[in-house]
Amino acid sequence: MIPYKQLSLEDIFSDCKEKFENDKPKFLSLLESHIDIDEIIPISFRNHFYASTGRTRKYPLNALLWALILQRIFSIPTDTLLLTFLSYSKPLREFCGFTKVPDASKITRFKQDFVNDLQLVFDKLVDYTEPICQAIDSAKADMTIFDSSGIEAFVTENNPKYANRIIKQLKAYAKAKGYDKSYDPYKAAYKSMPSHASANSEIKQLYINGHFCYVYKFGIVTDGLGFVRHISLYNKDYMKSHPEIVVEKKSDSPDEDKCVHDSKLLISYIIL
């Protein structure tokens, strides 16, 4: 009789990590054998994607989804770089199911046209991974951790020269007026900077660890293991449904404003 050893989740994770770092083709085969992507695609998404448009789809839904999943796994920062990898890697291309690599505009349109369907896929993944989280550590899986953050946008206000120019002007102004050391040019810069980018009112000002930036704000909920359970984009529709959240500045302190703002966002999440 051949002895066998029952693999634990820790053993499987360690095996996947080793193959991810040292054997990419083997890692792809593990993904293919252990993840049934058809199971996590809602039928409504498939119907929407393949709805009659007068022409056939050149790129399969599964292929596009696998490409986006691999982009996250391999930490590929841009769609253009993702397509470069697909162009030069035959195993990666065949794994996704592409006979021809799409251009960057195709990926962009896919994410824009099917954003609500992609949200449903994420929700399905939450249900899919919850039993795994419970099996790893039920106590940590039952935790709920909330935080807010933002996705930096490509706008003029995010150029470091933008904030530095304002701070430099305020320092010169303070020196000319003979202000004492209690004057803080950084707080003054925060107060004088607009609350949103001039190009798009959805791009809000954020202050994190001494860094001024303009971002698309969002809230994220994870469990104690670090698995994402929910994401809310704080866009115009969200703010309209939560009038109690005021995004204007209330003080000269960016840290204080962020603390108050995050508290209100947390309350709105609890109400949901």
Side-chain angles (χ1 to χ4, degrees):
M1 183 176 179
I2 301 176
Y4 69 91
K5 176 184 177 182
Q6 184 174 0
L7 293 176
S8 65
L9 284 170
E10 181 180 0
D11 295 327
I12 295 172
F13 174 78
S14 299
D15 186 46
C16 286
K17 183 179 179 182
E18 191 275 330
K19 288 181 171 59
F20 171 72
E21 293 174 347
N22 303 308
D23 192 344
K24 292 296 190 293
K26 185 64 175 178
F27 178 74
L28 293 177
S29 67
L30 279 174
L31 285 179
E32 189 174 29
S33 60
H34 288 88
I35 297 179
D36 183 2
I37 197 167
D38 290 323
E39 188 177 339
I40 64 174
I41 301 177
I43 189 63
S44 59
F45 190 177
R46 198 172 293 280
N47 290 339
H48 185 196
F49 184 81
Y50 289 108
S52 177
T53 58
R55 57 183 177 180
T56 58
R57 293 284 186 183
K58 185 184 298 184
Y59 307 105
L61 174 58
N62 287 24
L64 292 167
L65 285 175
W66 268 126
L68 295 181
I69 292 171
L70 291 179
Q71 184 179 17
R72 301 274 74 81
I73 291 176
F74 294 124
S75 300
I76 302 173
T78 64
D79 293 343
T80 302
L81 187 57
L82 168 65
L83 298 176
T84 300
F85 276 110
L86 290 171
S87 298
Y88 286 98
S89 174
K90 185 178 180 182
L92 204 62
R93 192 165 59 250
E94 290 180 343
F95 171 80
C96 291
F98 287 119
T99 56
K100 180 183 178 182
V101 178
D103 54 34
S105 62
K106 177 63 69 175
I107 300 293
T108 300
R109 284 198 301 271
F110 174 70
K111 290 189 286 188
Q112 290 176 343
D113 294 344
F114 300 100
V115 59
N116 293 329
D117 298 293
L118 290 170
Q119 176 67 46
L120 293 176
V121 172
F122 176 81
D123 294 339
K124 191 83 171 182
L125 279 172
V126 172
D127 297 335
Y128 192 84
T129 55
E130 183 59 26
I132 299 174
C133 295
Q134 292 291 338
I136 294 173
D137 190 323
S138 60
K140 290 183 178 179
D142 290 336
M143 293 181 181
T144 300
I145 301 170
F146 173 83
D147 193 17
S148 65
S149 187
I151 304 170
E152 286 199 44
F154 292 99
V155 291
T156 302
E157 289 83 356
N158 276 335
N159 187 325
K161 293 180 181 179
Y162 177 81
N164 291 338
R165 175 177 56 82
I166 295 175
I167 293 170
K168 185 177 180 181
Q169 290 173 345
L170 289 169
K171 285 182 177 179
Y173 176 79
K175 185 177 180 180
K177 292 293 184 179
Y179 290 162
D180 58 28
K181 293 183 179 181
S182 63
Y183 177 79
D184 189 338
Y186 293 92
K187 287 185 177 180
Y190 166 76
K191 186 177 181 179
S192 64
M193 292 168 72
S195 59
H196 61 78
S198 58
N200 188 344
S201 60
E202 295 280 343
I203 303 173
K204 306 297 185 182
Q205 184 190 31
L206 197 66
Y207 181 79
I208 306 176
N209 300 326
H211 172 59
F212 292 103
C213 56
Y214 286 78
V215 302
Y216 292 102
K217 289 187 177 181
F218 68 89
I220 184 170
V221 176
T222 66
D223 60 18
L225 295 166
F227 285 84
V228 178
R229 304 288 86 185
H230 181 73
I231 296 176
S232 291
L233 291 174
Y234 298 132
N235 53 23
K236 184 165 48 179
D237 293 336
Y238 187 94
M239 292 302 179
K240 186 176 180 180
S241 62
H242 294 279
E244 73 278 5
I245 302 176
V246 181
V247 296
E248 285 76 16
K249 302 169 188 177
K250 289 297 183 182
S251 72
D252 294 340
S253 170
D255 289 318
E256 181 180 342
D257 277 356
K258 185 177 186 304
C259 182
V260 172
H261 186 63
D262 287 355
S263 299
K264 291 185 177 180
L265 293 176
L266 177 59
I267 293 172
S268 70
Y269 169 75
I270 294 173
I271 292 174
L272 289 175

